[in-house]
Amino acid sequence: MTGTVEPLDVVVLDDGVQSVAVRLLSPTPQYGYYDAEIVIRSDFVNATVRTGFNADDLDDWAAILEAVAESDTEAAETDDVISGNWPGEGRTAYLTFIAEDPYVVEVHDAPSTQISVRVPIDLKAQWLDGARERLMTARRALGL
């Protein structure tokens, strides 16, 4: 896949009131990274920040999704909270996904403005299925 395409949502965390999404802007990597943006929508703040990710980052997102799925199915009474940064912290804007009740997504514009926004999102039970499907769609679109 080459050239320009319509933006593809790789990550969508949306409860109908507030949302955080990561949109792929170009299927052609530059210096090993795909151009993307993080989009926040809520009654309080609407913002977009550029980011980038690579194929390994998609594997990391899959691992976060699997960890959440496993913690949801475990009957053990534990106070462990699943969380993870995506894409990897430090090189670009990134999300910190926290599997609490409700879920929380922090958006960090780390290397640039140092601004962070914390967005609680009341995700429905089926959100994991949609997240996995988006990930598979992104991998297919990128030829991975």
Side-chain angles (χ1 to χ4, degrees):
M1 175 179 218
T2 60
T4 60
V5 295
E6 291 295 316
L8 172 69
D9 289 336
V10 177
V11 174
V12 176
L13 305 166
D14 186 344
D15 66 7
V17 177
Q18 303 184 129
S19 68
V20 175
V22 177
R23 254 185 216 133
L24 174 68
L25 299 175
S26 172
T28 306
Q30 295 204 6
Y31 306 106
Y33 292 91
Y34 298 99
D35 190 27
E37 64 184 3
I38 300 171
V39 180
I40 305 167
R41 296 284 176 251
S42 76
D43 288 341
F44 177 68
V45 66
N46 293 299
T48 303
V49 63
R50 292 300 275 254
T51 191
F53 62 87
N54 61 26
D56 290 339
D57 290 325
L58 291 176
D59 293 341
D60 293 344
W61 180 240
I64 291 170
L65 295 176
E66 287 311 308
V68 170
E70 287 175 17
S71 73
D72 284 352
T73 59
E74 289 178 359
E77 294 180 22
T78 176
D79 291 333
D80 293 341
V81 174
I82 303 297
S83 68
N85 295 330
W86 192 85
E89 176 182 359
R91 66 176 190 262
T92 186
Y94 66 95
L95 309 175
T96 298
F97 178 79
I98 306 163
E100 294 180 315
D101 186 16
Y103 291 91
V104 174
V105 180
E106 296 173 350
V107 179
H108 306 271
D109 186 19
S112 184
T113 66
Q114 301 296 309
I115 293 173
S116 295
V117 176
R118 185 176 172 94
V119 183
I121 302 176
D122 188 16
L123 296 173
K124 306 298 182 232
Q126 305 84 354
W127 80 271
L128 266 170
D129 293 335
R132 288 177 175 142
E133 182 61 35
R134 273 186 205 84
L135 181 58
M136 287 186 340
T137 299
R139 285 181 167 156
R140 280 192 302 266
L142 299 173
L144 302 174

